[in-house]
Amino acid sequence: MDKHEDHYLSKESKVSMQDLLDRSRSMRTTVAQVVAWLKALGIPVPDVGEKVRTALRRVPRA
């Protein structure tokens, strides 16, 4: 059983970047595809590009 089968999403759901990564991995598809599906269903999703840029700013540089 997929670990997401018992976790339904609604328009009020808070979808995190980790949720997107987990769902894409378990569904064997890309994060972009999961984002597209969720948006088509009217479920708000974070801006993946902005999340990645924010995370990269926190990575120490040599």
Side-chain angles (χ1 to χ4, degrees), residues 1-17:
M1 180 170 156
D2 185 321
K3 74 176 190 173
H4 298 294
E5 285 183 23
D6 63 342
H7 181 71
Y8 296 101
L9 296 173
S10 71
K11 291 182 179 182
E12 291 79 32
S13 296
K14 299 277 186 187
V15 179
S16 70
M17 189 66 190

Side-chain angles (χ1 to χ4, degrees), residues 5 10 12-13 21 27 37 40 43-45:
E5 285 183 23
S10 71
E12 291 79 32
S13 296
L21 292 168
M27 297 173 81
W37 286 332
I43 298 171
V45 294

Side-chain angles (χ1 to χ4, degrees), residues 8-57:
Y8 296 101
L9 296 173
S10 71
K11 291 182 179 182
E12 291 79 32
S13 296
K14 299 277 186 187
V15 179
S16 70
M17 189 66 190
Q18 188 63 52
D19 290 331
L20 295 174
L21 292 168
D22 290 344
R23 287 176 188 278
S24 70
R25 187 178 316 113
S26 70
M27 297 173 81
R28 296 183 180 178
T29 190
T30 64
V31 171
Q33 182 62 68
V34 173
V35 167
W37 286 332
L38 293 176
K39 283 184 176 182
L41 293 170
I43 298 171
V45 294
D47 180 332
V48 174
E50 183 57 37
K51 292 289 185 183
V52 170
R53 284 187 290 277
T54 298
L56 287 175
R57 283 195 290 267

